[in-house]
Amino acid sequence: MLKLSEAVRRNPEVCKIIPPLSHGIKGIDIIRGQSEQLYLIGLLAARLPVLTNAEEKSWFEKLRLWLLVHAYERASNGILLDENLRILCTDLRLAHDSGDSWLALFRRLRVDALGFQGMDYGLMHRASRLLSNKKSEYQLSASEVAALKALERLVKREVAELRVTSQLPPRLYTGGMPNILARPFELDDELFEEADLEDNSARYVEITGAEPDETVICAEVDPKETFARQALSGKTVFLSSAEENQFLPWSWKQCAGQEEHDVRAWVEKSLATQDAKTRLCAAILWVANATGRSVERALEFRVGGRADSEWHLSEDFTQLVRLSPRPQQNSLSKEWESEWILPFAAEQAVRLPDQVGRVLYDVAASFVTIPTLGHLYDAVVGDKPRAVYADRLKEVSPRLNTTMFARSLPMRVFRESKDAILARVVASSPQTGRTGAMSYASWPIATLSRLLNPTQNESEAAGDDLNGMGSLIQIRDDKLREAFSVAAGRVDAAGKGDDFLRFCNFYVAYHVVGLLAYTGVRPVNDSFEQARHFDLEDGFAFVNDKVVDDEHEGRPVPVHRSLIEWAKDDYPRHLRLVASMLRHAAPGLAEAIEELAYAKKKGRLPFFFFLEQTEDGIQWASVSEQSIRELELFDWPLPLNFFRHRLATGLREIGADPEVIDSLLGHSEAGSATHGDLSWRVWQKDMQAVTPALDALFEQTGFRVLPGVELHPNLTRVLH
């Protein structure tokens, strides 16, 4: 195209010699007879669908550009033709050429992403949701399912050789399928725990690229506000610095220990003074300290009304109330709430001391309506808060300012719990930039009541069985045990049946889910990639389940002793028998499985794989969350990463070190990685300390190792 544009610039007569393609004809008429090879040209030359909505038109233009970039990426890696790309280009061209069903499908895939990687994330998520939603009124046809699966494979950088009936020109034949990346792209599920793209309900979505300047934060704003106010709220996202994440007691930007004590003493003394301005300033400072807010942000608290995501004062000035901070998990249905997850509290409350409540109530009594706490301050004090508090607190410490009080609550919580994630979530606001690590754990309402109301009696706190804050995905152990028991029964029944492939897939899926339950590894494709990644002597495995930046470079995770023995003896024996059974039906595959079983060399297959019957015979397939779900082995209506939620909460309840939990789950933030070159911690000692807690949690699931194909000789007869 560059050469063509240069030619036209030199000689405009070129356009007369080679006329531009007309939008008056369909794309198929332009590439007729060569549609299998020229699928990209057919798409780019096709006229856009007839749309009156400018946003929809823009969406279909973005889709074409997105596919063009993927085609360029493949071509730059020597892959000139790809089956996944051909399927999507062809189906999108059909949508352009008045294919109503295809038009409807691509409309449902629409995402408002701000870049190429954002399109990847969003489209992958949409496709996965459509494929997994079997109860939807919109039933997918076989060709639509194929298109969505091709989209998933395209985003993951999987390559499929072009299936064509015509002879390919020599320069388009690659002679084999090279890999695009050493490690295929994986969807970051944590992103969608905070932002459910299905209904755009999240206020903030952070998409982080490979470089720091590639981070994009999309903010929801109130359309009724002025543009200036919208721009301000859109830019106001609070991100923690590396220093703040360390919770250092001597950080300059917060009150030191003695200063905190002196500030509390000043508040108590000032609440009893006769000066109305001083009393109100003291009451507001108490509110800021108790909620983890600066004075300026505390002044924005509403008075009265229903609870929302930010604190507000009750109309009688007896307490502060807000909705419990939780990641956006809008896929939870009533079925989850009633059967699978533990009960949870909707709100949190901070009880105001009588003196604080009385001061605020007395000032408010002279007003008809009080929208915010700031209206009381403006009416009584009026001057800028920063200058007022600097003057009144200079006797305590001349360096104090109004923003330092935002660190009082998180520092106090950290001192009591040694849990940095808990401290950050307790003090979070609707504008806090949440990390993935903040999306998994939950804490009981009794813990929250004690931390937010340190002076209340133990008897006043609610019970520990109520989920007070954090992830809603906290599974009932009795339902989990039942699901594993049912799944084990299905594996056993498949072994007694007449479907060899079904049994093999059930057997592998059951044990891979067991590994996920113990380790909390992200359920990406082929989570446990190779046999050599297992240390069968010391009992751990190396996993690389999130490749997005230099902070995530894989990690070792301990593995339960029963699964280590299974991976050492039972599974290789199962593989050897499977290889012998497939020797005649699929000799090439049998040879690859045998290499894997005997660990002769670096295998051509991942350590765990599925078998499927295709037009070309029996082939292997990757183990993914989607493929496990399609087996219908487990009855739970859960994404497989719920095990990560379970470990994040369960290990805390048992008393495990929160930093070690972060290490197990692969959470690493700049400057605060648990194990690494700059950490004083020793991984082996930490894992030895946390293993008993891991074992206890795992054994509550009822998981047990199952026998392989060797105990089901009838399957051999069925296969032959």
Side-chain angles (χ1 to χ4, degrees), residues 101 288 451 596:
S101 63
L451 293 172
L596 186 64

Side-chain angles (χ1 to χ4, degrees), residues 35 48 100 110 244 316 345 427-428 482 609 620-621 679 699 708 716:
S35 60
L48 282 170
D100 291 340
R110 177 177 163 184
E244 289 171 331
D316 58 0
S428 65
E482 180 184 343
F609 57 89
W620 72 274
S679 172
E699 286 157 13
T716 307

Side-chain angles (χ1 to χ4, degrees), residues 296-596:
E296 288 83 355
R297 296 195 65 211
L299 292 176
E300 296 178 3
F301 289 173
R302 290 185 299 106
V303 177
R306 299 179 62 181
D308 62 16
S309 52
E310 183 56 291
W311 292 105
H312 80 275
L313 285 152
S314 62
E315 291 183 355
D316 58 0
F317 294 96
T318 60
Q319 61 181 354
L320 290 149
V321 182
R322 70 168 173 179
L323 297 177
S324 296
R326 300 190 187 278
Q328 293 287 341
Q329 290 156 341
N330 301 301
S331 59
L332 299 187
S333 65
K334 292 297 180 183
E335 181 183 8
W336 280 68
E337 295 178 16
S338 60
E339 294 185 20
W340 286 90
I341 67 171
L342 295 173
F344 55 89
E347 298 178 0
Q348 292 178 345
V350 174
R351 184 175 301 172
L352 269 61
D354 292 341
Q355 281 183 298
V356 172
R358 191 179 305 113
V359 167
L360 296 175
Y361 184 85
D362 289 345
V363 175
S366 57
F367 297 92
V368 177
T369 59
I370 310 154
T372 66
L373 192 55
H375 283 73
L376 295 182
Y377 177 87
D378 291 340
V380 176
V381 183
D383 296 326
K384 295 290 185 182
R386 194 175 186 89
V388 169
Y389 280 91
D391 179 62
R392 294 179 183 275
L393 291 173
K394 61 185 178 183
E395 63 186 76
V396 175
S397 174
R399 76 177 195 92
L400 294 181
N401 62 61
T402 53
T403 62
M404 291 181 175
F405 305 116
R407 294 289 294 169
S408 296
L409 175 63
M411 284 301 300
R412 177 168 58 80
V413 172
F414 181 77
R415 284 195 298 269
E416 292 186 28
S417 66
K418 296 297 184 287
D419 189 340
I421 300 299
L422 170 59
R424 291 167 65 184
V425 177
V426 164
S428 65
S429 76
Q431 291 170 292
T432 297
R434 286 177 172 269
T435 65
M438 298 168 70
S439 302
Y440 288 99
S442 68
W443 294 268
I445 192 66
T447 299
L448 272 297
S449 298
R450 187 182 72 251
L451 293 172
L452 292 172
N453 300 281
T455 59
Q456 84 173 3
N457 299 325
E458 289 291 333
S459 59
E460 297 180 87
D464 280 333
D465 58 342
L466 201 62
N467 179 345
M469 182 181 72
S471 170
L472 291 176
I473 306 179
Q474 298 307 328
I475 310 303
R476 289 172 44 189
D477 280 343
D478 59 330
K479 298 292 292 185
L480 192 57
R481 284 192 297 272
E482 180 184 343
F484 268 112
S485 176
V486 170
R490 287 172 179 163
V491 176
D492 185 61
K496 297 174 182 176
D498 57 1
D499 191 332
F500 172 76
L501 301 185
R502 179 180 176 84
F503 170 77
C504 290
N505 293 343
F506 272 23
Y507 181 73
V508 168
Y510 176 84
H511 290 92
V512 167
V513 170
L515 283 164
L516 295 176
Y518 187 85
T519 62
V521 169
R522 298 176 179 90
V524 298
N525 284 11
D526 305 318
S527 303
F528 304 91
E529 291 185 83
Q530 299 178 28
R532 62 195 182 98
H533 288 176
F534 281 80
D535 186 323
L536 301 177
E537 299 302 322
D538 292 329
F540 68 87
F542 174 81
V543 295
N544 198 4
D545 57 356
K546 185 174 184 180
V547 185
V548 295
D549 53 42
D550 292 338
E551 296 293 328
H552 299 83
E553 298 178 340
R555 66 191 186 282
V557 292
V559 179
H560 193 264
R561 56 188 177 275
S562 66
L563 286 166
I564 285 292
E565 292 301 318
W566 172 78
K568 182 179 181 180
D569 299 320
D570 296 5
Y571 185 57
R573 183 165 57 249
H574 167 82
L575 289 179
R576 289 192 289 270
L577 288 170
V578 169
S580 67
M581 294 178 186
L582 293 175
R583 189 162 288 118
H584 297 292
L589 179 59
E591 181 183 355
I593 295 174
E594 193 170 69
E595 289 175 359
L596 186 64

